Amino acid sequence: MTTARRDTYTPETLLSVAVQVFIERGYDGTSMEHLSKAAGISKSSIYHHVSGKEELLRRAVSRALDELFGILDEEHARVGTAAERLEYVVRRMVEVLMAELPYVTLLLRVRGNTDTERWALERRREFDHRVAALLKAAAAEGDVRADVEVRLATRLVFGMINSIVEWYRPEGPDGRGGAGGAGESEVVDAVARLVFGGLRKAS
């Protein structure tokens, strides 16, 4: 019976369960026993797929990081003025966050207590620096206001975007949408308006 469950349980479904448990209990507070109970399979069946919980963590945060870094390789993130590219990147960040909500949530909660967490934090910093460079370039081109320090502006922008994980739910509290009935495109547009309404120089 255990073998049948193991054979039908895929690495992807196991990863999905593990991410939810990591978010609920915290990575440090999660044991292999917790994961096996949540997945409904034995610990030995989990080891059939992965070497342990840190491999699950790395796979999860890698998924979020790959999606985020992938944005920077998209055409609209590479072509146009710095301000145009920055707005595109901000919009896509919100889209990725909502599409990969559990994985990005977990990424934002790692604290650096393991090699995998420290690696994830370093990758996050690299992504942040690349977005900050776009903001700096947009200011140098005169398309965004220069009276707000770039590092502060970057932190505020990331703070707004990252806070979405705390309240956005795809189904919404009433089953109509993730933000009191608002759909994903409405959330993306709202973030873009708030960010760039404050960043762009007054005409």
Side-chain angles (χ1 to χ4, degrees):
M1 185 174 182
T2 301
T3 302
R5 293 293 296 278
R6 183 193 68 191
D7 290 344
T8 57
Y9 220 89
T10 68
E12 187 63 25
T13 53
L14 176 60
L15 183 62
S16 178
V17 170
V19 168
Q20 293 296 341
V21 178
F22 290 154
I23 291 172
E24 290 168 9
R25 302 187 62 88
Y27 176 73
D28 291 337
T30 299
S31 67
M32 292 298 288
E33 184 70 26
H34 294 132
L35 293 175
S36 69
K37 285 182 178 179
I41 58 177
S42 67
K43 285 188 284 187
S44 61
S45 294
I46 296 178
Y47 286 121
H48 176 76
H49 293 293
V50 295
S51 60
K53 71 171 189 173
E54 188 155 3
E55 182 180 340
L56 286 166
L57 177 66
R58 190 175 185 96
R59 288 187 183 186
V61 295
S62 292
R63 175 166 164 167
L65 287 163
D66 288 348
E67 291 292 326
L68 289 170
F69 274 94
I71 294 169
L72 302 177
D73 293 326
E74 293 171 6
E75 181 180 1
H76 292 296
R78 296 182 290 105
V79 177
T81 67
E84 290 168 343
R85 288 182 285 142
L86 178 63
E87 181 166 356
Y88 177 81
V89 168
V90 166
R91 285 177 169 274
R92 288 288 291 122
M93 284 171 61
V94 178
E95 290 173 350
V96 164
L97 187 150
M98 291 189 291
E100 302 289 346
L101 186 63
Y103 298 90
V104 178
T105 300
L106 182 61
L107 173 65
L108 295 176
R109 293 183 181 176
V110 298
R111 292 293 176 262
N113 296 327
T114 67
D115 288 342
T116 294
E117 290 178 285
R118 287 186 287 274
W119 168 81
L121 287 173
E122 184 58 35
R123 290 282 284 160
R124 270 183 59 192
R125 280 192 289 270
E126 181 185 345
F127 181 80
D128 292 358
H129 291 159
R130 291 182 65 178
V131 177
L134 268 180
L135 180 54
K136 186 175 181 179
E141 291 175 5
D143 289 330
V144 301
R145 57 195 306 159
D147 59 341
V148 179
E149 201 271 328
V150 170
R151 283 180 297 180
L152 175 58
T154 304
R155 287 174 180 168
L156 292 172
V157 170
F158 273 102
M160 179 188 296
I161 295 172
N162 292 345
S163 72
I164 294 172
V165 304
E166 303 300 334
W167 55 263
Y168 180 80
R169 298 296 175 267
E171 70 285 355
D174 52 11
R176 295 184 300 145
E184 288 186 14
S185 62
E186 293 173 88
V187 176
V188 172
D189 288 342
V191 171
R193 282 196 299 269
L194 288 170
V195 169
F196 292 96
L199 280 177
R200 289 194 184 278
K201 291 177 67 174
S203 55

